[in-house]
Amino acid sequence: MEAFLADIAKAADLCLKPWRHAVRFKGDAPSGGDTTSDCELLIEARDAAGSRVPDRDLELEIYRSGADLNLMLSSVSDEAAPLLWHGSHPVWMQASSGERCERPAGGAPLEALCRRIRAQLVSDSL
């Protein structure tokens, strides 16, 4: 499980520069070490000096719908910020209504993060 969390932190470090990241489970870790089962993660951000930057924290939900692996990424500090759903492609949604919306400014690195995480999880499950 620690390698799984470290891989997600490395992906966040790569995609969301200059921030550094740590990842932890919001609730219980998936049973049996299955990293492709439903779970919620908190991606915590720090600046280069190691100080916490809670405004940059993200919540990542990983879940299966049938055989498909899906990710839902949202801002912890801004409940009104659009959500990113990522299955076979990215979809941005209004947090309040769930209606589709345009990619927000700064959304491209978040899409890259989801692509990287999803690709890793899919390859791990093969």
Side-chain angles (χ1 to χ4, degrees):
M1 273 302 151
E2 287 188 29
F4 165 69
L5 297 176
D7 286 345
I8 291 177
K10 287 177 191 174
D13 289 350
L14 181 67
C15 296
L16 305 176
K17 291 180 181 183
W19 314 106
R20 302 288 298 167
H21 299 86
V23 180
R24 64 180 172 88
F25 288 100
K26 278 194 72 177
D28 295 330
S31 61
D34 181 9
T35 57
T36 61
S37 64
D38 296 0
C39 66
E40 290 183 57
L41 304 171
L42 182 62
I43 302 174
E44 298 177 328
R46 296 185 181 277
D47 64 17
S51 299
R52 286 277 292 115
V53 186
D55 289 349
R56 303 289 305 182
D57 289 355
L58 300 168
E59 182 176 290
L60 176 65
E61 183 180 351
I62 301 170
Y63 64 96
R64 287 212 173 266
S65 178
D68 294 328
L69 182 67
N70 299 288
L71 307 178
M72 183 71 75
L73 189 67
S74 60
S75 172
V76 173
S77 65
D78 185 359
E79 292 181 13
L83 309 171
L84 173 59
W85 171 87
H86 203 295
S88 57
H89 62 280
V91 175
W92 287 94
M93 300 180 295
Q94 294 293 340
S96 59
S97 65
E99 291 180 15
R100 196 174 193 155
C101 65
E102 294 296 317
R103 177 173 66 190
L110 298 174
E111 289 179 14
L113 173 62
C114 283
R115 269 193 311 275
R116 185 171 290 276
I117 292 170
R118 188 172 183 277
Q120 180 65 44
L121 293 172
V122 168
S123 71
D124 287 351
S125 67
L126 296 178

